[in-house]
Amino acid sequence: MATWTRTLTRPDGQSFRFDPGSFAMELLVSGGPGELRVFEALHRPDDLAAWLVDSRLAATAPFTAADVRVTEAELVAVKRLRDAFWGVARAMVRGADLPAEGLEVLNAATAETPRPVVDPRTRALTWARPITGTQVLGAAARDAVELVAHGGVRACSAADCGLLFVDASRAGNRRWCSMERCGNRHKVRAHRARHETEPAAAQ
Ligand SMILES: [Zn+2]
């Protein structure tokens, strides 16, 4: 089974692969409210079209940015949904009450999704063209409301990370956004801590 990863670059310059685990979680990586604005990747409608080509919507069938039609208003709606879901998802991982306003934004956006159709010649599954911004909004919203209902949203165990993901591992024990990033930093810290305590223990 293919895993759909995003390559993220942190403010310290390190790039690493991150599998958010679902489409709505993937959308969270494109930016967000408040301090997450520095990560904003969706400035213009074309940015969303380009971003989608690498998203897990392409797991069903590949498409190009030219197959996507996004208006300014649709881009605003997608970013509003994303930012609302940040608030809901963060409340979920904290075990706090979910923000009612955020849930309203999710619930109001589930109407339309990209339409799967079969190619009559090849029988391959594909998306009806064009894929619209409203359909993208609906795909993210449907995934988000399912996550709210079923749970499974986790935060990376690194205190200074903040990335959220769906744990899709069979064992259900995923701790890190990425082994390359926070998993490795944890190993290095644990190793250092052992070496710092060993000489003390020998005295
Ligand atoms: Zn992390």
Side-chain angles (χ1 to χ4, degrees):
M1 198 172 73
T3 58
W4 293 84
T5 62
R6 289 274 169 183
T7 298
L8 305 185
T9 304
R10 293 284 102 178
D12 62 16
Q14 190 198 354
S15 290
F16 61 98
R17 282 166 302 165
F18 171 54
D19 178 7
S22 88
F23 184 63
M25 303 308 290
E26 192 176 357
L27 184 62
L28 294 186
V29 180
S30 71
E35 81 284 4
L36 298 171
R37 280 190 217 289
V38 295
F39 297 110
E40 184 60 71
L42 309 178
H43 303 283
R44 297 176 308 123
D46 286 355
D47 296 333
L48 179 58
W51 181 88
L52 280 167
V53 169
D54 295 324
S55 78
R56 62 195 63 213
L57 275 190
T60 300
F63 54 91
T64 69
D67 296 322
V68 182
R69 199 178 59 208
V70 182
T71 66
E72 284 284 352
E74 286 173 326
L75 177 68
V76 169
V78 167
K79 288 164 76 168
R80 182 161 176 258
L81 177 92
R82 179 193 67 193
D83 294 1
F85 187 45
W86 261 116
V88 171
R90 280 174 163 169
M92 284 171 77
V93 298
R94 283 200 314 269
D97 288 341
L98 304 186
E101 246 178 67
L103 290 178
E104 269 174 42
V105 172
L106 302 188
N107 282 339
T110 55
E112 286 184 47
T113 58
R115 279 195 317 116
V117 290
V118 69
D119 185 305
R121 268 184 314 108
T122 64
R123 297 196 207 168
L125 199 59
T126 183
W127 295 116
R129 267 64 163 176
I131 300 167
T132 70
T134 301
Q135 290 174 338
V136 172
L137 177 77
R142 284 192 193 193
D143 184 38
V145 296
E146 280 184 22
L147 290 171
V148 173
H150 299 146
V153 174
R154 301 259 181 90
C156 176
S157 291
D160 60 349
C161 180
L163 283 171
L164 305 180
F165 53 84
V166 176
D167 183 3
S169 68
R170 200 168 295 173
N173 58 0
R174 180 173 168 190
R175 289 182 66 194
W176 311 109
C177 60
S178 158
M179 281 311 296
E180 285 175 75
R181 169 75 178 175
C182 291
N184 195 45
R185 290 194 303 149
H186 174 74
K187 267 198 279 185
V188 169
R189 270 198 300 267
H191 182 77
R192 259 193 221 132
R194 268 198 308 277
H195 278 259
E196 276 159 20
T197 53
E198 271 163 18
Q203 278 167 11

